[in-house]
Amino acid sequence: MDYIKRRLITLNQNNIVNVNILLTSDIHGAVYPIHYQNNEKAELGLAKVATQIAQERANNDHVLVIDNGDFIQGTPFTYYYAKYMRNEENPMSIIANHIGYDAAIIGNHEFNYGMDVLNKAVAYANMPYLAANIMNKQTKKPYFGKPYIIKHIHPDIKIAVLGVTTHYIPNWEQPHHIKDLLFENALEATRQWVTYIHEQEQPHVLIVAYHGGFECDLQTGEPTEILTGENQGYAMCQEIEGIDILLTGHQHRYIAHEKVNSVTVLQTGSNGRSLGKVHVTLIKKQNQWMIKECYSELLPIEGIPADRAVLSLVSAYEQQTQEWLDKPIGTIAGDMLIHDAMETRLRDCAFIEFINKVQTDVTGANISCTSLFHNESSGFPNEITMRDIVSNYIYPNTLKVVRVTGKDIKEALELTAEYFSLDPDGNIIVNPAYIEPKPQHYHYDMWEGISYILNISKPVGERVVSLQYEEAPLHLDQEYDVVMNNYRASGGGNYVMFQNKPIIKDIQIDISELIANYILERKTIKATTNYNWKVVK
């Protein structure tokens, strides 16, 4: 009887297999568990995630590890490498190889440092980079090689991983960075490849790893954003048969324990604040493997120690980054600190005026616009270092001077005014659409070279109640040259009025570098505010 019982247990064990898919996404170059603006400890970073991944591998037999994009860009650590150490191996690839990813997906920010940096990162990585809808313009084949991979588990279980990337990249990225590429519609490419994979490979589990997010509420299907096509996750679940798991990213949302049209979905936030996990149980019935159970969860990394081997592998990169960050640049005479992010967006302040001043000085344009990118921006202290600059201007943007009409400027201001709404008590608040599902503070612009008033009590589209240029009403049919970052000039943030407008000047130097050069040349900068704009109710 004991022999029969043991044999039945063995048979049952052989007929059930558990597979765990681990997901990182939107790491954005965060390796060390610190905030670079002050080096204070932070509960984030790939070094902590690496410890969690190692623990999962130790506790489970079948583990796949996937990165879902926006991996190599986003911190001073990666910026310094791309600017000053690019002849060395990419530190993010070194870490990825140490962790042992099974696959990685191309994200939109992978292109920010140019194709040389990206191609080198891909070439050095041990795992394949998947992007089925990013095509070589010449060959019309996937630029990064494999559109999907097949992983064999136990040993007759086949798991397919298809990689796709938001096709909206040409609306954001500098054209010369992507001149050899074509971006096919992610939804249509996914539809075609899912069909192909099922026909040719007949996998037991099909995973779509999509560097994109959800355009609709997961429960109601109601649109949660302007349907530009940037995010198509909901449509993928609803319209494409044969997807078992949809891994998402791009939006920096935390999504787990959810299904959309029976598809298990997952999204892990950003900067390595959590590790995503999908648990799949397969059972063998009538000699055929089938999914018995599939669910997603988020594993927090709070309290998890950093992997010392990861930190050691890239310590030389980090040391040089820290030395560069502490390099003195100049001094500020007066107050250029950000005391309150909301107040900064309600009325002109010295920090925003200074950024616009740099942009107009560099380009010779009379009108400029810029953003306060995130609510953690602290502005500039009296003694400025590179750390202060890159902590406030966090994107590797460049400048473009765009020729637009007065009508375009007014439409842009009406769009930027949508950032605000009124609460039931009549107080000005941030429009919830700019906070959920993803914070988008960088879509609110503040202008110099014109004078304007936005009245938030007015209906949307009628909030620009005063608009002047050189102390006279701005002429809607007249043309003006405006300097803005390359993201906005391409129409990023739904500023379609700037798309396809004449580019009068294109400055191919990172704005953070332009700011540093401006201060270095002058040594001391006086904080000034001319109060040329304000927001009222």
Side-chain angles (χ1 to χ4, degrees), residues 212-513:
F214 293 98
E215 70 279 26
C216 296
D217 182 273
L218 300 188
Q219 278 74 44
T220 66
E222 290 294 316
T224 54
E225 59 178 48
I226 297 172
L227 297 182
T228 60
E230 175 183 350
N231 298 299
Q232 299 173 298
Y234 189 83
M236 288 178 181
C237 294
Q238 294 288 349
E239 299 179 18
I240 303 174
E241 292 186 14
I243 301 175
D244 298 306
I245 300 165
L246 180 65
L247 308 176
T248 64
H250 185 55
Q251 294 172 310
H252 300 184
R253 297 172 65 185
Y254 296 91
I255 299 173
H257 306 290
E258 297 269 10
K259 288 183 183 289
V260 178
N261 194 26
S262 299
V263 178
T264 300
V265 298
L266 177 65
Q267 195 171 145
T268 65
S270 65
N271 299 117
R273 289 183 173 87
S274 70
L275 176 66
K277 180 178 180 179
V278 180
H279 178 86
V280 185
T281 299
L282 294 110
I283 187 169
K284 197 171 190 178
K285 290 184 177 180
Q286 298 176 344
N287 213 33
Q288 176 64 40
W289 288 101
M290 296 185 299
I291 296 175
K292 178 185 178 184
E293 185 180 36
C294 185
Y295 63 88
S296 62
E297 60 179 320
L298 293 173
L299 307 178
I301 55 86
E302 185 175 356
I304 299 292
D307 185 318
R308 305 311 302 178
V310 166
L311 301 183
S312 177
L313 279 169
V314 295
S315 60
Y317 296 83
E318 174 70 4
Q319 181 180 345
Q320 292 187 55
T321 301
Q322 290 289 349
E323 291 172 357
W324 172 71
L325 286 171
D326 288 329
K327 180 181 178 182
I329 298 297
T331 60
I332 298 294
D335 185 2
M336 207 177 281
L337 293 171
I338 301 294
H339 299 281
D340 182 277
M342 186 66 170
E343 287 299 314
T344 298
R345 298 186 180 103
L346 290 175
R347 60 188 57 82
D348 196 11
C349 77
F351 175 77
I352 294 299
E353 185 164 304
F354 172 71
I355 301 300
N356 276 319
K357 187 180 294 183
V358 172
Q359 294 187 172
T360 55
D361 181 84
V362 168
T363 62
N366 292 325
I367 304 174
S368 173
C369 63
T370 191
S371 304
L372 186 68
F373 294 124
H374 56 94
N375 287 347
E376 288 72 40
S377 287
S378 58
F380 290 158
N382 293 124
E383 300 297 325
I384 306 175
T385 64
M386 281 302 305
R387 190 183 304 278
D388 300 311
I389 294 174
V390 299
S391 295
N392 283 279
Y393 208 103
I394 59 176
Y395 297 114
N397 291 332
T398 59
L399 290 178
K400 293 182 185 293
V401 177
V402 184
R403 182 157 292 168
V404 299
T405 65
K407 180 174 181 289
D408 294 324
I409 294 174
K410 186 173 187 296
E411 288 179 356
L413 286 169
E414 290 290 1
L415 179 59
T416 217
E418 293 181 28
Y419 176 81
F420 297 111
S421 60
L422 298 177
D423 68 11
D425 296 324
N427 300 309
I428 299 176
I429 60 171
V430 177
N431 183 339
Y434 286 80
I435 301 174
E436 297 291 343
K438 173 185 177 180
Q440 299 178 76
H441 303 296
Y442 46 81
H443 286 163
Y444 175 78
D445 287 341
M446 292 158 280
W447 292 62
E448 193 66 34
I450 57 174
S451 300
Y452 61 94
I453 299 173
L454 307 179
N455 189 332
I456 308 308
S457 65
K458 298 288 185 181
V460 169
E462 301 175 17
R463 291 177 168 180
V464 180
V465 295
S466 176
L467 179 55
Q468 294 186 320
Y469 175 70
E470 295 182 342
E471 299 183 353
L474 186 111
H475 296 288
L476 298 185
D477 57 353
Q478 187 172 324
E479 290 185 328
Y480 302 87
D481 290 349
V482 180
V483 56
M484 60 190 75
N485 66 52
N486 61 289
Y487 172 78
R488 187 66 80 234
S490 68
N494 205 36
Y495 283 80
V496 294
M497 69 289 299
F498 298 145
Q499 286 181 337
N500 303 315
K501 292 298 169 71
I503 303 298
I504 305 306
K505 193 174 290 186
D506 190 353
I507 307 296
Q508 290 297 316
I509 302 173
D510 287 352
I511 296 177
S512 58
E513 190 172 336

Side-chain angles (χ1 to χ4, degrees), residues 105-207:
I105 313 305
I106 297 291
N108 56 293
H109 283 287
E110 252 70 73
F111 298 95
N112 288 172
Y113 298 143
M115 288 304 297
D116 288 345
V117 171
L118 175 53
N119 286 334
K120 187 170 184 177
V122 171
Y124 183 76
N126 292 337
M127 75 283 193
Y129 271 86
L130 312 177
N133 64 317
I134 301 178
M135 316 303 285
N136 185 310
K137 190 175 287 186
Q138 303 302 320
T139 66
K140 303 300 188 292
K141 294 181 179 180
Y143 180 89
F144 295 97
K146 296 181 178 181
Y148 69 92
I149 59 169
I150 299 293
K151 302 295 290 187
H152 295 271
I153 303 291
H154 182 265
D156 57 340
I157 296 174
K158 295 172 69 175
I159 298 180
V161 182
L162 170 66
V164 288
T165 302
T166 175
H167 59 263
Y168 221 62
I169 290 170
N171 293 286
W172 307 313
E173 192 52 66
Q174 299 199 51
H176 69 279
H177 284 174
I178 55 174
K179 61 183 177 62
D180 298 323
L181 305 177
L182 293 173
F183 295 84
E184 294 184 344
N185 185 284
L187 177 64
E188 296 308 315
T190 302
R191 193 192 316 274
Q192 294 168 14
W193 280 105
V194 166
T195 300
Y196 177 89
I197 292 169
H198 275 294
E199 291 176 350
Q200 299 297 319
E201 305 286 359
Q202 299 175 349
H204 301 96
V205 180
L206 194 150
I207 302 166

